[in-house]
């Protein structure tokens, strides 16, 4: 299980895994996007963070309005108790961006008393803002209980006995009266070096369709895997990219999206014979330049529901729900354009075929899950999630919606009871849950965005055509790659060594790559988020850098780390070899 480190900003405790800020004994819940922005500021502590950097690291290069970023910064300041005019945490740099000015400490462990305060005292006050007197009174009461905890052992023993009896009675109930999800276990299905996305499981549970691409590739290819032996074959399609697959009810066909570099887009279907791709046929064209959709087969198998845009508009517009027969005829629009956001961009058909769960983008990075009754045509708003969901699934009885929570776990929403229940509890985020008619769920584990370090085989060339100006060649290859972020690569003068930062183990660390190609973690460095200005000595034997205000040298051979004495009142911004 991969865990995320916690931090202290002055007297605030930041827990990225739970998206919380512990302040004055009160645990405040922070929306996921705000926590990601705060982590970006922590990662670049004491350094200006431009809006462009936020877009690249938090929004993965997407288009975000200034108002959206301002809202997140304002939200963080509010929950940190900061003041924009006289900041203690986040300072605005006009025409530059933002900088985290608070002292930052990496938290490895907490005391028993602090753990008690966080989980018992603060945990009961999530999201509650009270006056200082009320807060102090509650803290004193819990502190008293904690101090005299030994006197309550007998009471606790009695509670355990009662709880055990209740658990026994619960387990004695008939199976159908228990929760739908119980003892959920995760099983990994794919082990490829590249990326997998948009999984779909056949109704019999024997085949898995998914989109896959190698590291460094731009376009996706459609794969089909036999669950029993892991054998995979890929679709031969003349278009550049394929994805968003959906099995027909009888498992004999697969509908999918296909598009090419020139912007052409179409939805196709392909025969599935003994776990292999067969004949391919177009169902209908989709909007030019559209590179994502969502497809569901009708319960009778004679048509599909899918996401598309208006073909009358030259620009990308709101997405809507459509239906069409397999011959491409009888196309019907089932939803209207929504004036805010990107509209309806994902659908999921209930196992009984009566309802479509529709994900609607109602605000930037906020999703509204809705229900479209295929029998009556009525729409029902179910619930909102403060993140951009890729998909949802269903329980086998069509009574619950399965979705990804803000912290990356899976939960179910019971439609009749309007209640939520989380049924996974892991640190790695889970994306794109989908289900088959039996309620079996497949999903993507891990983040969708990663960074790599590239190597140019001939880094710089100069010839007469460039008039002596050096130009980077296009001859490049991936040099450092993993399923996580690999950044800040520095190469030695002799070209035989390299140091880079990677969070492949769950926590950002410095790694050393030798001429042999082996990559070793440098354990001497702990608070890696705040290490800057790394460079090799001229003989390639030492590293120089700074850890906050502390310059240091590191002997690569002996693995000895030594700090350079500097006046504590002196601000150190850059260090280099002389």
């Amino acid at each position: 299980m991969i865990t995320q480190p916690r931090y202290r900003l002055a007297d605030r405790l930041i827990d990225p895994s739970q998206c919380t800020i512990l302040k004055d004994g009160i645990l405040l819940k922070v929306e996921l996007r705000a926590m990601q922005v705060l982590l970006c500021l922590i990662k670049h502590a004491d350094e200006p963070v431009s809006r462009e950097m936020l877009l690249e690291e938090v929004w993965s290069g997407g288009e975000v309005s200034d108002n959206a970023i301002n809202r997140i910064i304002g939200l963080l300041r509010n929950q940190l108790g900061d003041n924009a005019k006289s900041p203690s945490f986040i300072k605005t740099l006009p025409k530059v961006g933002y900088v985290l000015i608070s002292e930052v400490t990496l938290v490895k462990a907490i005391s028993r008393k602090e753990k008690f305060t966080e989980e018992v005292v603060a945990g009961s006050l999530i999201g509650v803002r009270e006056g200082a007197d009320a807060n102090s009174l509650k803290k004193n009461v819990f502190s008293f209980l904690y101090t005299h905890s030994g006197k309550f052992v007998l009471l606790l023993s009695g509670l355990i006995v009662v709880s055990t009896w209740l658990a026994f009675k619960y387990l004695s109930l008939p199976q159908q009266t228990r929760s739908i999800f119980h003892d959920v276990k995760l099983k990994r299905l794919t082990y490829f070096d590249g990326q997998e996305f948009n999984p779909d499981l056949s109704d019999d549970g024997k085949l898995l369709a998914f989109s896959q691409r190698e590291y460094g590739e731009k376009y996706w290819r459609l794969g089909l895997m036999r669950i029993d032996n892991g054998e995979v074959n890929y679709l031969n399609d003349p278009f550049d990219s394929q994805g968003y697959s959906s099995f027909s009810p009888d498992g004999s066909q697969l509908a999918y999206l296909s598009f090419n570099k020139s912007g052409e887009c179409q939805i196709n279907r392909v025969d599935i014979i003994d776990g292999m791709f067969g004949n391919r046929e177009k169902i209908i064209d989709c909007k030019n330049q559209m590179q994502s959709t969502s497809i569901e087969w009708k319960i009778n198998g004679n048509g599909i529901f899918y996401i598309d845009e208006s073909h009358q508009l030259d620009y990308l517009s709101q997405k809507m729900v459509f239906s069409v027969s397999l011959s491409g005829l009888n196309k019907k629009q089932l939803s209207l354009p929504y004036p805010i956001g990107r509209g309806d961009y994902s659908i999921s058909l209930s196992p009984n075929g009566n309802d479509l769960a529709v994900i609607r983008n109602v605000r930037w990075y906020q999703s509204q899950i809705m229900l479209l009754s295929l029998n009556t045509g009525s729409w029902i708003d179910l619930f909102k999630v403060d993140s951009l969901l890729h998909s949802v699934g269903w329980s086998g009885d069509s009574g619950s919606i399965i979705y990804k929570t803000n912290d990356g776990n899976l939960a179910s929403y019971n439609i009749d009871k309007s209640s939520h229940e989380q049924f996974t509890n892991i640190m790695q985020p889970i994306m794109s849950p989908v289900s088959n008619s039996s309620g079996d769920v497949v999903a993507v584990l891990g983040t969708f965005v990663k960074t790599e370090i590239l190597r140019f085989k001939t880094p710089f060339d100069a010839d007469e055509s460039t008039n002596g100006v050096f130009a980077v060649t296009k001859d490049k290859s991936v040099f450092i790659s993993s399923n996580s972020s690999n950044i800040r690569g520095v190469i030695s003068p002799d070209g035989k060594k390299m140091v880079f930062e990677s969070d492949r183990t769950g926590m950002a660390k410095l790694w050393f790559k030798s001429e042999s190609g082996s990559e070793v973690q440098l354990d001497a460095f702990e608070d890696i988020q705040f290490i800057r200005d790394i460079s090799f000595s001229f003989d390639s034997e030492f590293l120089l850098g700074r850890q906050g205000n502390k310059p240091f040298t590191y002997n690569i051979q002996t693995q000895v780390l030594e700090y350079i004495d500097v006046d504590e009142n002196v601000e150190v911004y850059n260090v280099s070899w002389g």
Side-chain angles (χ1 to χ4, degrees):
M1 182 181 296
I2 293 180
T3 59
Q4 290 182 276
R6 303 188 305 168
Y7 308 92
R8 283 198 183 279
L9 303 186
D11 60 344
R12 275 63 162 164
L13 181 64
I14 313 299
D15 190 342
S17 298
Q18 303 300 323
C19 282
T20 57
I21 297 177
L22 178 62
K23 182 183 72 171
D24 297 331
I26 297 179
L27 198 64
L28 302 176
K29 197 70 176 177
V30 181
E31 68 175 68
L32 178 61
R33 189 62 58 186
M35 180 59 68
Q36 292 172 335
V37 169
L38 181 57
L39 287 179
C40 182
L41 293 173
I42 291 175
K43 178 180 178 181
H44 301 282
D46 296 325
E47 292 184 358
V49 176
S50 65
R51 289 174 178 262
E52 290 72 21
M53 292 173 63
L54 287 175
L55 291 178
E56 182 64 28
E57 297 190 20
V58 178
W59 279 274
S60 306
E63 295 182 4
V64 182
S65 68
D66 288 343
N67 289 336
I69 296 179
N70 293 338
R71 183 189 74 83
I72 293 293
I73 294 296
L75 180 63
L76 283 175
R77 281 178 171 147
N78 182 49
Q79 294 182 309
L80 288 169
D82 203 9
N83 189 320
K85 295 182 179 180
S86 56
S88 300
F89 295 92
I90 302 174
K91 181 179 180 180
T92 300
L93 303 176
K95 298 183 179 181
V96 176
Y98 307 96
V99 61
L100 186 68
I101 59 176
S102 167
E103 178 184 354
V104 183
T105 306
L106 182 66
V107 179
K108 294 183 180 179
I110 57 176
S111 64
R112 181 185 173 203
K113 186 172 183 179
E114 183 178 7
K115 184 177 180 64
F116 175 83
T117 302
E118 178 182 348
E119 295 184 353
V120 180
V121 181
S124 63
L125 302 173
I126 291 180
V128 178
R129 297 179 179 273
E130 302 182 76
D133 292 340
N135 183 40
S136 176
L137 176 61
K138 290 189 177 183
K139 290 172 66 178
N140 290 337
V141 170
F142 278 101
S143 178
F144 173 81
L145 293 175
Y146 177 72
T147 304
H148 300 84
S149 58
K151 299 179 181 180
F152 298 96
V153 172
L154 183 60
L155 177 60
L156 180 61
S157 300
L159 290 174
I160 292 175
V161 171
V162 173
S163 299
T164 303
W165 179 79
L166 290 175
F168 173 77
K169 295 293 288 182
Y170 172 76
L171 293 173
S172 301
L173 291 174
Q175 183 68 29
Q176 62 269 20
T177 65
R178 302 185 201 171
S179 173
I180 295 172
F181 305 103
H182 186 65
D183 289 337
V184 172
K185 297 181 180 179
L186 302 180
K187 179 182 178 181
R188 184 168 180 173
L189 298 179
T190 62
Y191 292 85
F192 303 108
D193 291 332
Q195 294 174 291
E196 297 94 64
F197 206 51
N198 302 128
D200 192 49
L201 189 66
S202 61
D203 283 352
D204 60 11
K206 295 181 179 180
L207 296 174
L208 176 72
F210 57 94
S211 301
Q212 193 261 345
R213 68 180 178 185
E214 300 298 325
Y215 292 135
E217 293 293 324
K218 180 179 181 181
Y219 295 104
W220 300 84
R221 56 179 179 169
L222 192 61
L224 187 64
M225 184 178 77
R226 296 175 61 100
I227 299 295
D228 57 356
N229 59 16
E231 180 182 335
V232 179
N233 71 92
Y234 294 95
L235 178 65
N236 182 18
D237 189 297
F239 278 20
D240 300 297
S241 197
Q242 305 90 41
Y244 302 93
S245 56
S246 176
F247 280 101
S248 62
D250 61 4
S252 65
Q253 297 181 80
L254 196 70
Y256 67 95
L257 176 74
S258 185
F259 60 91
N260 60 21
K261 296 177 183 178
S262 62
E264 294 178 280
C265 173
Q266 60 188 35
I267 294 178
N268 300 332
R269 58 189 173 107
V270 59
D271 294 333
I272 305 297
I273 305 172
D274 295 330
M276 303 288 289
F277 289 116
N279 295 326
R280 185 184 67 253
E281 186 176 347
K282 183 177 78 171
I283 298 178
I284 194 171
D285 289 320
C286 42
K287 174 70 174 291
N288 282 352
Q289 305 298 330
M290 195 179 74
Q291 299 182 2
S292 66
T293 188
S294 182
I295 304 171
E296 286 287 336
W297 286 76
K298 295 184 177 181
I299 197 70
N300 56 17
N302 64 4
I304 60 170
F305 302 101
Y306 68 104
I307 298 296
D308 199 359
E309 300 180 16
S310 172
H311 291 213
Q312 279 70 46
L313 301 175
D314 294 332
Y315 54 87
L316 293 178
S317 56
Q318 285 82 10
K319 295 178 181 293
M320 298 171 286
V321 183
F322 294 85
S323 69
V324 69
S325 66
L326 294 184
S327 62
L329 303 176
N330 301 319
K331 179 180 177 180
K332 296 180 180 179
Q333 181 179 317
L334 304 183
S335 65
L336 296 175
Y338 193 69
I340 302 175
R342 292 303 312 278
D344 306 323
Y345 63 91
S346 184
I347 55 177
S348 181
L349 182 67
S350 61
N352 59 21
N354 293 333
D355 301 291
L356 267 181
V358 180
I359 303 178
R360 173 173 291 176
N361 178 213
V362 293
R363 289 182 178 85
W364 189 256
Y365 280 92
Q366 186 179 72
S367 302
Q368 170 76 55
I369 289 80
M370 311 179 69
L371 206 62
L372 169 60
S373 171
L374 299 177
N375 296 326
T376 65
S378 61
W379 289 80
I380 302 174
D381 291 346
L382 296 182
F383 60 97
K384 287 187 175 70
V385 177
D386 290 330
S387 62
L388 198 58
L389 301 181
H390 291 100
S391 63
V392 294
W394 287 85
S395 60
D397 61 0
S398 301
S400 298
I401 302 289
I402 300 165
Y403 68 98
K404 177 186 78 71
T405 63
N406 287 342
D407 62 0
N409 278 287
L410 292 185
S412 65
Y413 174 82
N414 187 291
I415 297 174
D416 290 337
K417 298 180 180 179
S418 300
S419 61
H420 300 262
E421 178 186 3
Q422 182 174 313
F423 60 92
T424 65
N425 187 26
I426 64 174
M427 294 301 179
Q428 276 189 287
I430 301 175
M431 300 193 305
S432 305
V434 296
S435 57
N436 61 11
S437 61
S438 302
D440 298 322
V441 178
V442 291
V444 175
L445 182 66
T447 57
F448 184 60
V449 179
K450 69 181 183 65
T451 56
E452 300 170 331
I453 296 175
L454 302 181
R455 173 179 58 186
F456 291 90
K457 295 181 180 179
T458 308
F460 298 99
D461 276 339
D463 54 31
E464 295 179 358
S465 64
T466 60
N467 295 321
V469 178
F470 290 95
V472 178
T473 68
K474 295 181 179 180
D475 190 8
K476 63 182 183 296
S477 62
V478 175
F479 189 55
I480 304 290
S481 179
S482 71
N483 286 326
S484 302
S485 174
N486 303 279
I487 59 175
R488 303 182 191 274
V490 179
I491 197 165
S492 62
D494 61 11
K496 297 181 179 180
K497 303 180 181 72
M498 184 177 186
V499 170
F500 62 97
E501 182 180 326
S502 178
D503 60 0
R504 62 187 65 184
T505 59
M507 183 182 297
K509 292 283 188 179
L510 276 187
W511 287 72
F512 174 76
K513 186 181 181 81
S514 64
E515 186 179 15
S516 65
S518 60
E519 298 174 8
V520 180
Q521 180 178 302
L522 301 181
D523 294 325
F525 298 92
E526 297 179 351
D527 299 336
I528 187 62
Q529 278 80 0
F530 320 115
I531 292 181
R532 300 290 184 269
D533 308 332
I534 292 290
S535 62
F536 279 90
S537 61
F538 301 118
D539 60 5
S540 304
E541 296 300 322
F542 287 84
L543 291 177
L544 174 69
R546 65 178 176 91
Q547 194 168 18
N549 274 343
K550 298 179 181 179
F552 64 83
T553 60
Y554 177 78
N555 189 310
I556 297 173
Q557 184 66 31
T558 63
Q559 302 180 18
V560 174
L561 174 67
E562 294 185 358
Y563 289 99
I564 301 171
D565 291 333
V566 176
D567 189 331
E568 293 182 357
N569 298 320
V570 175
E571 294 282 344
V572 179
Y573 289 102
N574 289 283
V575 294
S576 61
W577 292 96

